[in-house]
Amino acid sequence: MSLSASPLDVSPVIPVVVIDDPAHAVALARALVAGGVAIIEVTLRTPRALDAVAAIAADVPEIALGVGSVLTAAHVDRALAAGADFLVSPGASPALLERLVAAPVPVLPGVATVSEVLTALDHGLTELKFFPAGPAGGPAYLAAIGGPVPQVRFCPTGGVTAGNLRDYLAVPGVAAVGGTWLTPKSLIEAEDWAGITALAAAAVAAA
Ligand code: 3PG
C-alpha cells in the first residue's frame, strides 16, 4: 500500500525480517497483520529478499511494506521497483542520504550519534532509525542523543526485545521500535505462522 502516514505511526513495533525463501513471504506478512502488526521491514540481507518484497506487495496490500538494509542508491532503486512503501538504512553515507531524500516514499536512515542526527536534519529528515540500539548504549544513550533534537522521532532497532521494548518506548522521541524478535528464523522455517501471530499480538499488547 502507499503510506498516507509515517511508518512510525502504523504500529509501535516494526518487525525486521530476514526471509531466505520468498515462498514464506506472503504467509509471514499475513501472520503479522493477523497479530495486529500491519507493517514489515524486509531486509536486503538474503539473495532473494526483493522477490519476497514483490510477493508481499502483490498479495498483502494491507501491510506497510518496508525494505531495510538499504546501503546504496542502487538498493533504493531496486527496492522501489519491487514495491517498497518505505525505506530503512542502518546508517547513511552522503550519497545514500541524497538518494533517500529524493525517493517518493518515507525513509528512515540509521543514526547512532548526535552528529549523524544533525546530518540527517540538514537533509530535512526528522524520522530516523537508531541503530544498533543496544550496543550503542540503549535507552539512556538514546535519551541523551534526543535531548538536543526534540523535533526528531526515532525507531530504535538492534537488541530490542519483548523484555526491553517498553524501556525504549518510554524515551521521549521514540515513536516505535523494531527488531527481529517478532519473526524468529526457527518459526519461519517451521512455517509456524500462528506462532508469529502470537508474538506480534504479544508485542502490541506489551507496547
Ligand atoms: C536491524 O537491522 O534493524 C537489526 O539488525 C535488528 O536487530 P535485532 O536482530 O537485534 O532485532
Side-chain angles (χ1 to χ4, degrees), residues 1-83:
M1 71 179 185
S2 134
L3 286 182
S4 55
S6 162
L8 299 186
D9 293 322
V10 176
S11 163
V13 296
I14 301 179
V16 176
V17 308
V18 179
I19 302 180
D20 289 306
D21 182 354
H24 289 147
V26 167
L28 173 59
R30 287 187 176 139
L32 291 168
V33 172
V37 175
I39 188 165
I40 187 170
E41 175 194 329
V42 179
T43 63
L44 295 181
R45 295 189 196 166
T46 57
R48 301 198 59 199
L50 286 171
D51 293 330
V53 173
I56 295 169
D59 288 354
V60 197
E62 65 272 31
I63 203 163
L65 175 55
V67 172
S69 304
V70 167
L71 307 179
T72 65
H75 284 164
V76 173
D77 294 337
R78 286 184 219 132
L80 292 172

Side-chain angles (χ1 to χ4, degrees), residues 1-206:
M1 71 179 185
S2 134
L3 286 182
S4 55
S6 162
L8 299 186
D9 293 322
V10 176
S11 163
V13 296
I14 301 179
V16 176
V17 308
V18 179
I19 302 180
D20 289 306
D21 182 354
H24 289 147
V26 167
L28 173 59
R30 287 187 176 139
L32 291 168
V33 172
V37 175
I39 188 165
I40 187 170
E41 175 194 329
V42 179
T43 63
L44 295 181
R45 295 189 196 166
T46 57
R48 301 198 59 199
L50 286 171
D51 293 330
V53 173
I56 295 169
D59 288 354
V60 197
E62 65 272 31
I63 203 163
L65 175 55
V67 172
S69 304
V70 167
L71 307 179
T72 65
H75 284 164
V76 173
D77 294 337
R78 286 184 219 132
L80 292 172
D85 295 320
F86 67 98
L87 303 172
V88 186
S89 74
S93 68
L96 179 58
L97 272 179
E98 290 293 330
R99 182 65 188 93
L100 286 173
V101 296
V105 297
V107 299
L108 298 171
V111 297
T113 68
V114 175
S115 293
E116 290 164 4
V117 172
L118 296 180
T119 300
L121 284 173
D122 282 347
H123 286 78
L125 296 167
T126 57
E127 300 198 326
L128 306 171
K129 166 168 166 148
F130 171 58
F131 175 82
Y141 175 78
L142 179 53
I145 284 188
V149 286
Q151 70 273 47
V152 175
R153 300 172 81 212
F154 291 101
C155 178
T157 79
V160 179
T161 65
N164 64 19
L165 67 87
R166 287 185 67 86
D167 297 335
Y168 283 102
L169 287 169
V171 174
V174 170
V177 298
T180 57
W181 90 93
L182 289 152
T183 55
K185 186 179 175 77
S186 58
L187 292 189
I188 295 174
E189 287 186 350
E191 301 187 0
D192 183 354
W193 311 128
I196 286 173
T197 294
L199 281 177
V204 171

